[in-house]
Tab-separated table of all heavy atoms in Angstrom:
chain	number	residue	atom	x	y	z
A	108	LEU	N	11.804	76.779	-42.150
A	108	LEU	CA	11.076	77.893	-41.563
A	108	LEU	C	9.757	77.351	-41.033
A	108	LEU	O	8.742	77.352	-41.723
A	108	LEU	CB	10.844	78.982	-42.616
A	108	LEU	CG	10.261	80.299	-42.087
A	108	LEU	CD1	11.206	80.935	-41.095
A	108	LEU	CD2	9.994	81.238	-43.243
A	519	VAL	N	17.974	82.722	-40.648
A	519	VAL	CA	18.476	84.097	-40.687
A	519	VAL	C	18.396	84.656	-42.100
A	519	VAL	O	18.668	83.949	-43.072
A	519	VAL	CB	19.931	84.153	-40.180
A	519	VAL	CG1	20.466	85.570	-40.227
A	519	VAL	CG2	20.009	83.594	-38.773
A	520	ILE	N	17.984	85.936	-42.177
A	520	ILE	CA	18.130	86.689	-43.419
A	520	ILE	C	19.429	87.461	-43.297
A	520	ILE	O	19.504	88.469	-42.593
A	520	ILE	CB	16.940	87.639	-43.636
A	520	ILE	CG1	15.667	86.838	-43.859
A	520	ILE	CG2	17.210	88.538	-44.826
A	520	ILE	CD1	15.680	85.991	-45.107
A	521	ASP	N	20.464	86.976	-43.934
A	521	ASP	CA	21.793	87.572	-43.824
A	521	ASP	C	21.963	88.699	-44.838
A	521	ASP	O	21.347	88.689	-45.909
A	521	ASP	CB	22.870	86.521	-44.065
A	521	ASP	CG	23.476	86.041	-42.765
A	521	ASP	OD1	23.455	86.821	-41.805
A	521	ASP	OD2	23.952	84.902	-42.727
A	522	LEU	N	22.831	89.647	-44.496
A	522	LEU	CA	23.140	90.757	-45.397
A	522	LEU	C	24.643	90.919	-45.449
A	522	LEU	O	25.322	90.909	-44.420
A	522	LEU	CB	22.481	92.052	-44.898
A	522	LEU	CG	22.693	93.283	-45.772
A	522	LEU	CD1	21.974	93.124	-47.099
A	522	LEU	CD2	22.208	94.535	-45.068
A	537	THR	N	24.147	92.133	-50.711
A	537	THR	CA	23.562	90.828	-51.024
A	537	THR	C	22.804	90.329	-49.809
A	537	THR	O	23.359	90.238	-48.708
A	537	THR	CB	24.647	89.809	-51.405
A	537	THR	OG1	25.345	90.280	-52.561
A	537	THR	CG2	24.020	88.453	-51.708
A	538	VAL	N	21.539	90.012	-49.996
A	538	VAL	CA	20.718	89.453	-48.935
A	538	VAL	C	20.481	87.979	-49.253
A	538	VAL	O	20.226	87.609	-50.397
A	538	VAL	CB	19.382	90.225	-48.791
A	538	VAL	CG1	18.533	90.132	-50.040
A	538	VAL	CG2	18.607	89.710	-47.593
A	539	SER	N	20.642	87.107	-48.225
A	539	SER	CA	20.508	85.665	-48.439
A	539	SER	C	19.759	85.046	-47.273
A	539	SER	O	19.770	85.562	-46.153
A	539	SER	CB	21.890	85.013	-48.588
A	539	SER	OG	22.673	85.242	-47.432
A	540	ARG	N	19.116	83.935	-47.532
A	540	ARG	CA	18.435	83.184	-46.487
A	540	ARG	C	19.290	81.968	-46.112
A	540	ARG	O	19.886	81.322	-46.977
A	540	ARG	CB	17.040	82.752	-46.933
A	540	ARG	CG	16.950	82.149	-48.317
A	540	ARG	CD	15.511	81.831	-48.663
A	540	ARG	NE	15.319	81.527	-50.076
A	540	ARG	CZ	14.143	81.317	-50.630
A	540	ARG	NH1	13.056	81.389	-49.889
A	540	ARG	NH2	14.028	81.053	-51.911
A	541	SER	N	19.308	81.634	-44.827
A	541	SER	CA	20.230	80.601	-44.355
A	541	SER	C	19.676	79.202	-44.535
A	541	SER	O	20.418	78.229	-44.476
A	541	SER	CB	20.543	80.815	-42.868
A	541	SER	OG	19.352	80.723	-42.098
A	542	ASN	N	18.376	79.071	-44.724
A	542	ASN	CA	17.819	77.726	-44.817
A	542	ASN	C	17.861	77.215	-46.246
A	542	ASN	O	17.932	77.968	-47.207
A	542	ASN	CB	16.387	77.700	-44.278
A	542	ASN	CG	15.457	78.576	-45.100
A	542	ASN	OD1	15.863	79.637	-45.544
A	542	ASN	ND2	14.229	78.149	-45.286
A	547	GLY	N	10.545	78.573	-52.471
A	547	GLY	CA	9.512	79.603	-52.585
A	547	GLY	C	10.104	80.987	-52.452
A	547	GLY	O	11.131	81.195	-51.803
A	548	PRO	N	9.487	82.027	-53.065
A	548	PRO	CA	10.003	83.392	-52.937
A	548	PRO	C	9.692	83.955	-51.556
A	548	PRO	O	8.698	83.593	-50.929
A	548	PRO	CB	9.231	84.147	-54.027
A	548	PRO	CG	7.939	83.393	-54.156
A	548	PRO	CD	8.277	81.957	-53.901
A	549	ILE	N	10.562	84.819	-51.080
A	549	ILE	CA	10.282	85.544	-49.839
A	549	ILE	C	10.596	87.023	-50.053
A	549	ILE	O	11.494	87.388	-50.814
A	549	ILE	CB	11.098	85.003	-48.644
A	549	ILE	CG1	12.600	85.154	-48.869
A	549	ILE	CG2	10.743	83.573	-48.337
A	549	ILE	CD1	13.413	84.869	-47.612
A	550	THR	N	9.813	87.847	-49.396
A	550	THR	CA	10.005	89.299	-49.462
A	550	THR	C	10.771	89.744	-48.237
A	550	THR	O	10.417	89.398	-47.103
A	550	THR	CB	8.657	90.015	-49.526
A	550	THR	OG1	7.963	89.584	-50.701
A	550	THR	CG2	8.853	91.522	-49.584
A	551	VAL	N	11.802	90.518	-48.484
A	551	VAL	CA	12.669	90.986	-47.403
A	551	VAL	C	12.560	92.501	-47.313
A	551	VAL	O	12.710	93.208	-48.314
A	551	VAL	CB	14.136	90.576	-47.641
A	551	VAL	CG1	15.021	91.033	-46.492
A	551	VAL	CG2	14.244	89.067	-47.836
A	552	GLN	N	12.296	92.987	-46.121
A	552	GLN	CA	12.228	94.422	-45.893
A	552	GLN	C	13.611	94.940	-45.509
A	552	GLN	O	14.315	94.320	-44.711
A	552	GLN	CB	11.230	94.755	-44.782
A	552	GLN	CG	11.056	96.251	-44.553
A	552	GLN	CD	10.000	96.548	-43.502
A	552	GLN	OE1	9.418	95.641	-42.926
A	552	GLN	NE2	9.749	97.820	-43.258
A	553	ILE	N	13.985	96.090	-46.120
A	553	ILE	CA	15.303	96.683	-45.864
A	553	ILE	C	15.096	97.985	-45.095
A	553	ILE	O	14.318	98.851	-45.507
A	553	ILE	CB	16.058	96.986	-47.181
A	553	ILE	CG1	15.971	95.787	-48.148
A	553	ILE	CG2	17.494	97.364	-46.888
A	553	ILE	CD1	16.645	94.552	-47.672
A	554	SER	N	15.795	98.117	-43.979
A	554	SER	CA	15.713	99.338	-43.164
A	554	SER	C	17.099	99.943	-43.041
A	554	SER	O	18.090	99.219	-42.853
A	554	SER	CB	15.150	99.014	-41.772
A	554	SER	OG	13.867	98.439	-41.866
A	555	TYR	N	17.147	101.306	-43.125
A	555	TYR	CA	18.418	102.044	-43.074
A	555	TYR	C	18.414	102.935	-41.850
A	555	TYR	O	17.474	103.706	-41.626
A	555	TYR	CB	18.599	102.882	-44.339
A	555	TYR	CG	18.464	102.090	-45.625
A	555	TYR	CD1	17.212	101.898	-46.215
A	555	TYR	CD2	19.568	101.525	-46.235
A	555	TYR	CE1	17.074	101.171	-47.378
A	555	TYR	CE2	19.435	100.795	-47.410
A	555	TYR	CZ	18.188	100.611	-47.980
A	555	TYR	OH	18.054	99.885	-49.129
A	563	GLY	N	18.469	103.111	-50.504
A	563	GLY	CA	18.283	101.969	-51.389
A	563	GLY	C	16.846	101.521	-51.348
A	563	GLY	O	15.975	102.176	-50.752
A	564	PRO	N	16.528	100.351	-51.903
A	564	PRO	CA	15.147	99.880	-51.929
A	564	PRO	C	14.651	99.525	-50.526
A	564	PRO	O	15.429	99.115	-49.665
A	564	PRO	CB	15.224	98.641	-52.821
A	564	PRO	CG	16.638	98.182	-52.726
A	564	PRO	CD	17.461	99.427	-52.571
A	565	GLU	N	13.354	99.666	-50.323
A	565	GLU	CA	12.756	99.290	-49.049
A	565	GLU	C	12.437	97.800	-49.001
A	565	GLU	O	12.340	97.216	-47.923
A	565	GLU	CB	11.487	100.104	-48.793
A	565	GLU	CG	11.747	101.596	-48.606
A	565	GLU	CD	10.470	102.353	-48.268
A	565	GLU	OE1	9.421	101.695	-48.082
A	565	GLU	OE2	10.520	103.584	-48.184
A	566	PHE	N	12.253	97.179	-50.129
A	566	PHE	CA	11.947	95.749	-50.199
A	566	PHE	C	12.719	95.127	-51.359
A	566	PHE	O	12.916	95.765	-52.398
A	566	PHE	CB	10.443	95.501	-50.421
A	566	PHE	CG	9.578	95.987	-49.304
A	566	PHE	CD1	9.029	97.269	-49.349
A	566	PHE	CD2	9.302	95.180	-48.212
A	566	PHE	CE1	8.222	97.722	-48.322
A	566	PHE	CE2	8.494	95.634	-47.181
A	566	PHE	CZ	7.957	96.917	-47.235
A	567	VAL	N	13.140	93.891	-51.147
A	567	VAL	CA	13.660	93.083	-52.244
A	567	VAL	C	13.025	91.705	-52.132
A	567	VAL	O	12.561	91.303	-51.060
A	567	VAL	CB	15.200	92.959	-52.210
A	567	VAL	CG1	15.870	94.296	-52.424
A	567	VAL	CG2	15.663	92.308	-50.907
A	568	VAL	N	13.017	90.979	-53.206
A	568	VAL	CA	12.434	89.637	-53.234
A	568	VAL	C	13.524	88.639	-53.616
A	568	VAL	O	14.198	88.811	-54.642
A	568	VAL	CB	11.260	89.558	-54.223
A	568	VAL	CG1	10.758	88.114	-54.326
A	568	VAL	CG2	10.134	90.483	-53.793
A	569	ILE	N	13.688	87.629	-52.748
A	569	ILE	CA	14.549	86.500	-53.126
A	569	ILE	C	13.676	85.555	-53.939
A	569	ILE	O	12.706	84.993	-53.432
A	569	ILE	CB	15.126	85.785	-51.894
A	569	ILE	CG1	15.967	86.750	-51.052
A	569	ILE	CG2	15.983	84.593	-52.314
A	569	ILE	CD1	16.543	86.129	-49.795
A	570	PRO	N	13.981	85.377	-55.188
A	570	PRO	CA	13.090	84.595	-56.061
A	570	PRO	C	13.014	83.128	-55.650
A	570	PRO	O	13.867	82.603	-54.923
A	570	PRO	CB	13.722	84.749	-57.446
A	570	PRO	CG	14.649	85.910	-57.337
A	570	PRO	CD	15.137	85.912	-55.925
A	573	GLN	N	16.019	80.390	-55.353
A	573	GLN	CA	17.285	81.067	-55.076
A	573	GLN	C	17.436	81.274	-53.583
A	573	GLN	O	16.460	81.424	-52.848
A	573	GLN	CB	17.344	82.425	-55.795
A	573	GLN	CG	17.443	82.325	-57.293
A	573	GLN	CD	17.585	83.681	-57.949
A	573	GLN	OE1	17.185	83.880	-59.079
A	573	GLN	NE2	18.164	84.638	-57.227
A	574	SER	N	18.688	81.324	-53.166
A	574	SER	CA	18.953	81.564	-51.754
A	574	SER	C	19.392	82.989	-51.491
A	574	SER	O	19.517	83.383	-50.328
A	574	SER	CB	20.031	80.601	-51.250
A	574	SER	OG	21.230	80.778	-51.986
A	575	SER	N	19.625	83.797	-52.544
A	575	SER	CA	20.090	85.167	-52.324
A	575	SER	C	19.734	86.046	-53.509
A	575	SER	O	19.373	85.565	-54.585
A	575	SER	CB	21.606	85.191	-52.099
A	575	SER	OG	22.290	84.753	-53.259
A	576	VAL	N	19.852	87.369	-53.286
A	576	VAL	CA	19.661	88.364	-54.339
A	576	VAL	C	20.506	89.580	-53.971
A	576	VAL	O	20.716	89.874	-52.793
A	576	VAL	CB	18.170	88.739	-54.496
A	576	VAL	CG1	17.670	89.513	-53.283
A	576	VAL	CG2	17.934	89.533	-55.773
A	577	SER	N	21.013	90.287	-54.980
A	577	SER	CA	21.831	91.480	-54.743
A	577	SER	C	21.069	92.723	-55.184
A	577	SER	O	20.217	92.672	-56.081
A	577	SER	CB	23.155	91.384	-55.504
A	577	SER	OG	23.920	90.289	-55.035
A	578	PHE	N	21.407	93.859	-54.557
A	578	PHE	CA	20.788	95.136	-54.912
A	578	PHE	C	21.791	96.247	-54.643
A	578	PHE	O	22.799	96.058	-53.940
A	578	PHE	CB	19.490	95.355	-54.137
A	578	PHE	CG	19.647	95.355	-52.632
A	578	PHE	CD1	19.809	96.541	-51.936
A	578	PHE	CD2	19.648	94.159	-51.918
A	578	PHE	CE1	19.950	96.537	-50.561
A	578	PHE	CE2	19.797	94.149	-50.540
A	578	PHE	CZ	19.946	95.345	-49.853
A	596	ILE	N	22.181	98.636	-41.766
A	596	ILE	CA	21.084	98.175	-42.606
A	596	ILE	C	20.563	96.876	-41.990
A	596	ILE	O	21.341	95.971	-41.667
A	596	ILE	CB	21.518	97.924	-44.056
A	596	ILE	CG1	22.027	99.210	-44.693
A	596	ILE	CG2	20.351	97.367	-44.860
A	596	ILE	CD1	22.418	99.049	-46.139
A	597	THR	N	19.257	96.789	-41.795
A	597	THR	CA	18.628	95.621	-41.199
A	597	THR	C	17.695	94.973	-42.212
A	597	THR	O	16.944	95.664	-42.903
A	597	THR	CB	17.832	96.013	-39.938
A	597	THR	OG1	18.699	96.672	-39.021
A	597	THR	CG2	17.236	94.785	-39.267
A	598	THR	N	17.756	93.626	-42.268
A	598	THR	CA	16.870	92.886	-43.157
A	598	THR	C	15.915	92.042	-42.321
A	598	THR	O	16.328	91.372	-41.368
A	598	THR	CB	17.680	91.964	-44.076
A	598	THR	OG1	18.532	91.134	-43.278
A	598	THR	CG2	18.531	92.762	-45.031
A	599	THR	N	14.646	92.092	-42.635
A	599	THR	CA	13.641	91.326	-41.905
A	599	THR	C	12.694	90.644	-42.882
A	599	THR	O	12.427	91.154	-43.975
A	599	THR	CB	12.826	92.219	-40.951
A	599	THR	OG1	12.217	93.276	-41.698
A	599	THR	CG2	13.699	92.812	-39.866
A	600	SER	N	12.208	89.447	-42.430
A	600	SER	CA	11.182	88.730	-43.177
A	600	SER	C	10.443	87.859	-42.184
A	600	SER	O	11.033	87.356	-41.214
A	600	SER	CB	11.803	87.876	-44.283
A	600	SER	OG	10.794	87.284	-45.076
A	601	ASP	N	9.166	87.692	-42.369
A	601	ASP	CA	8.341	86.950	-41.424
A	601	ASP	C	8.910	85.550	-41.189
A	601	ASP	O	9.170	84.800	-42.127
A	601	ASP	CB	6.908	86.827	-41.946
A	601	ASP	CG	6.167	88.152	-41.902
A	601	ASP	OD1	6.643	89.065	-41.200
A	601	ASP	OD2	5.121	88.268	-42.575
A	603	TYR	N	11.794	84.751	-39.930
A	603	TYR	CA	13.251	84.683	-39.959
A	603	TYR	C	13.837	85.598	-38.889
A	603	TYR	O	13.244	86.615	-38.509
A	603	TYR	CB	13.795	85.113	-41.324
A	603	TYR	CG	13.588	84.107	-42.425
A	603	TYR	CD1	12.377	84.022	-43.099
A	603	TYR	CD2	14.608	83.241	-42.797
A	603	TYR	CE1	12.184	83.100	-44.116
A	603	TYR	CE2	14.432	82.317	-43.814
A	603	TYR	CZ	13.216	82.246	-44.468
A	603	TYR	OH	13.032	81.338	-45.467
A	604	VAL	N	15.020	85.233	-38.434
A	604	VAL	CA	15.783	86.126	-37.578
A	604	VAL	C	16.380	87.216	-38.462
A	604	VAL	O	16.907	86.938	-39.541
A	604	VAL	CB	16.896	85.364	-36.833
A	604	VAL	CG1	17.741	86.320	-36.011
A	604	VAL	CG2	16.286	84.281	-35.948
A	605	SER	N	16.273	88.442	-37.990
A	605	SER	CA	16.723	89.578	-38.794
A	605	SER	C	18.212	89.509	-39.072
A	605	SER	O	19.008	89.070	-38.235
A	605	SER	CB	16.402	90.894	-38.069
A	605	SER	OG	15.011	91.043	-37.906
A	606	GLY	N	18.564	89.975	-40.271
A	606	GLY	CA	19.970	90.100	-40.630
A	606	GLY	C	20.453	91.524	-40.373
A	606	GLY	O	19.659	92.448	-40.141
A	607	PHE	N	21.751	91.719	-40.451
A	607	PHE	CA	22.301	93.014	-40.066
A	607	PHE	C	23.655	93.191	-40.751
A	607	PHE	O	24.438	92.250	-40.875
A	607	PHE	CB	22.460	93.052	-38.548
A	607	PHE	CG	23.181	94.251	-38.018
A	607	PHE	CD1	22.522	95.449	-37.818
A	607	PHE	CD2	24.540	94.191	-37.725
A	607	PHE	CE1	23.186	96.551	-37.322
A	607	PHE	CE2	25.213	95.284	-37.234
A	607	PHE	CZ	24.529	96.473	-37.029
Side-chain angles (χ1 to χ4, degrees):
L108 188 62
V519 179
I520 294 296
D521 259 333
L522 182 68
T537 299
V538 62
S539 59
R540 46 183 167 185
S541 61
N542 63 322
I549 62 169
T550 300
V551 182
Q552 183 177 1
I553 314 295
S554 301
Y555 307 87
E565 294 184 5
F566 297 93
V567 295
V568 175
I569 300 178
Q573 291 184 208
S574 60
S575 64
V576 69
S577 297
F578 59 95
I596 299 182
T597 304
T598 54
T599 57
S600 185
D601 289 344
Y603 286 82
V604 176
S605 297
F607 172 82

